[in-house]
């Protein structure tokens, strides 16, 4: 699914706004919103009639959508109260419609400073079953101003469930940066297309629903993509009638050392479960690898490994001279390379290593935040692209800007790198596209799980070389299966239908038990089957 910036959405809205009768587009959006809110109320209260709905209404069209949805809810017998954050700049037609159906209105005068003393407001908050966040949508910029930020605090204190209209207010639509405070919705109903915040700050949006308002986005360039289970399933390497052990993509793995032998095994396991093709291992712990994975083809040095479609280097390989030499050799190869862990450290400390890389060969680095920050110290920043120096910097500027700044610094030295920045939201960017994966749970945040992921990525990148798919898309496919494997392992192998329920409940797991990286690797096959069975988007 394509993701578009707020500007692209506005550009696609323009011809519709010009051609449709006034207010028509907003009514499409607000009617779609109303349908989703009906569901949410029924789920929570059983019936809409007699439920109490609070509308938090900002000064723009986002507030207009909210007022119209509230008007439709009145028609179903809900008691609807609108809190106007900026009474002089409220969407006039929406407000008139709500008043016409006897909706209750609480204007907050700008001079009112102590909102906790506003008894009408506090009573409305304490009796409400559900609130609609219509504070800001794609017009929101920067941290929320007063009185919005205080009202959010009051709603949080009263534990009011909130449905956000288009965007959770306080989260930047285009960067996903979470300002303080921001709304913590149970669900977000968005219009036309997903915006970056829905994927970059996915866990902060609750369940996301997309309302079709007839936008034609074919003239707009998507800023990033999210794969569906169906996309991943359709492209996963399934051997066909004429395939053999080489044809679905052979991967070479350079990992592990006397200090970190387990990393080799975990990486090889990740690769071996990803596809039916051969996995070639090179490193100092072949005995351990072979004792657990006799299907692996082992050699003492990468030079002896034979032909591969992609190389992996890094997990647990160390940073000594031997590791340096092995990495140097691998970097000279034309095939795509996936660099993780120690290879990232080596590259960060000795960036000249990358001078050996053929200029048009693809290099995907898969750092966690700490490794990424190390990578950002290798070269000076380019003008207009400040480099992050701390985790707080990354959070403040957002992952896309942080990754772009790092890539620009390297590009300035004539080196193109693709980056997969790990975390609950994994962001992948390079010349072959920009992809985002919300891992859906944090069960994968356990030692060695990154090694399993690197193995999976390497195998799917090798397959991608055979079928002509970008490393970025291959990596996104691998992340999807890795996070599903972690979830399945944690949930005791429950099926897609259970997972669907989990997503419905706002991405919080109701149960599950911690898992090890080894168990994640052993759940990869089940995860591939689950992705194939899911076969559809979780969006409604
Ligand atoms: N153009 C249209 O006809 C459509 C627009 N739609 C809705 O319209 C929204 C966009 O409407 P607008 O362009 O009016 O913008 P918004 O309603 O998102 O926000 C603009 C208002 O919020 C205020 N604001 C911005 N940042 C703020 C902050 N940090 N703290 C407090 N207030 C802040 C601005 O001063 C302005 O008054 C969409 O998100 C969507 O909900 C939908 O109805 C679809 C159709
Ligand atoms: N909340 C989270 N925080 C950090 N990582 C997470 C989280 N949830 C899932 N993950 C995933 O867990 C894995 C951890 O990888 P990494 O940090 O490289 O571990 P290791 O180096 O121990 O193998 C990555 O795939 C990452 O995306």
């Amino acid at each position: 699914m394509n993701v578009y910036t707020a500007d692209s959405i506005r550009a696609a809205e323009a011809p519709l706004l010009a051609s449709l009768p006034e207010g028509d587009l907003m009514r499409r959006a607000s009617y779609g919103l109303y349908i989703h809110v009906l569901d949410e109320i029924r789920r929570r209260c059983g019936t809409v009639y007699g439920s109490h709905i609070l509308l938090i209404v900002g000064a723009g069209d986002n507030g207009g959508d909210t007022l119209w949805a509230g008007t439709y809810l009145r028609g179903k017998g809900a008691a609807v109260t609108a809190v106007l954050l900026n009474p002089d700049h409220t969407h006039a037609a929406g407000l008139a419609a709500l008043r016409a159906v006897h909706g209750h209105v609480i204007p907050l005068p700008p001079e009112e400073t102590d909102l906790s003393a506003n008894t009408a407001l506090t009573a409305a908050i304490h009796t409400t079953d559900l609130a609609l966040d219509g504070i800001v949508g794609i017009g929101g910029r920067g941290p929320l101003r007063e009185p919005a930020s205080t009202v959010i605090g009051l709603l949080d204190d009263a534990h009011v469930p909130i449905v956000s209209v288009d965007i959770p207010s306080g989260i930047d639509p285009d960067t996903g940066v979470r300002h303080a405070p921001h709304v913590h919705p149970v669900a977000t109903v968005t219009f036309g297309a997903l915006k970056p915040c829905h994927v970059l700050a996915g866990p902060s949006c609750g369940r996301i629903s997309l309302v079709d308002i007839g936008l034609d986005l074919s003239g707009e360039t998507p800023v990033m993509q999210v794969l569906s289970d169906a996309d991943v399933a359709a492209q996963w390497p399934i051997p066909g009638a004429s395939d053999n052990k080489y044809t679905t993509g052979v991967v070479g793995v350079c990992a592990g050392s006397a200090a970190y032998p387990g990393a080799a095994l975990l990486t090889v396991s990740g690769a071996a479960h990803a596809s039916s093709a051969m996995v070639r291992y090179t490193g100092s712990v072949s005995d351990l690898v072979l004792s657990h994975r006799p299907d692996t083809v082992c050699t003492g040095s990468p030079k002896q490994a034979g032909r591969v479609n992609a190389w992996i280097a890094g997990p647990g390989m160390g940073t000594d001279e031997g590791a340096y030499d092995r990495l140097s050799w691998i970097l000279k190869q034309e095939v795509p390379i996936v660099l993780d862990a120690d290879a990232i450290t080596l590259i960060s400390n000795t960036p000249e290593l990358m001078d050996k890389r053929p200029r048009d060969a693809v290099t995907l680095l898969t750092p966690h935040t700490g490794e990424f920050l190390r990578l950002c110290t290798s070269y000076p920043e380019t003008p207009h692209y400040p480099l992050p120096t701390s985790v707080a910097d990354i959070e403040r500027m957002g992952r896309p800007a942080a990754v772009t700044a790092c890539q620009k610094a390297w590009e300035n030295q004539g080196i193109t790198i693709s980056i997969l920045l790990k975390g609950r939201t994994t962001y992948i960017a390079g010349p072959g596209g920009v992809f985002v994966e919300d891992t859906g749970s944090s069960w994968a945040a356990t030692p060695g799980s990154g090694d399993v992921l690197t193995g999976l990525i390497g195998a799917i990148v090798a397959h991608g070389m055979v079928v002509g798919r970008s490393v970025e898309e291959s990596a996104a496919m691998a992340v999807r299966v890795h996070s599903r494997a972690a979830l399945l392992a944690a949930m005791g192998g429950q099926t897609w239908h259970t997972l669907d329920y989990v997503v419905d409940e706002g991405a919080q797991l109701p149960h599950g038990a911690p898992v090890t990286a080894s168990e994640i690797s052993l759940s990869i096959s089940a995860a591939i089957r689950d992705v194939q069975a899911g076969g559809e988007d979780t969006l409604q």
Side-chain angles (χ1 to χ4, degrees), residues 14 16 23 68 83 105 142 149 151 178 216 221 341 356 371 409 424 428 501 510:
L16 281 182
W68 277 108
V83 175
V105 176
S149 65
V151 171
R178 285 168 266 228
D216 176 5
T221 308
K356 301 175 190 304
E371 290 159 348
R424 170 65 191 262
I428 308 155
Y501 163 78

Side-chain angles (χ1 to χ4, degrees), residues 54-58 63 66 81-83 85 121 131-135 151 155:
L54 193 61
L55 316 177
I56 313 296
V57 180
T66 308
T81 302
V83 175
L85 300 176
L121 175 67
L132 267 61
D133 154 30
I135 302 171
V151 171
L155 291 166

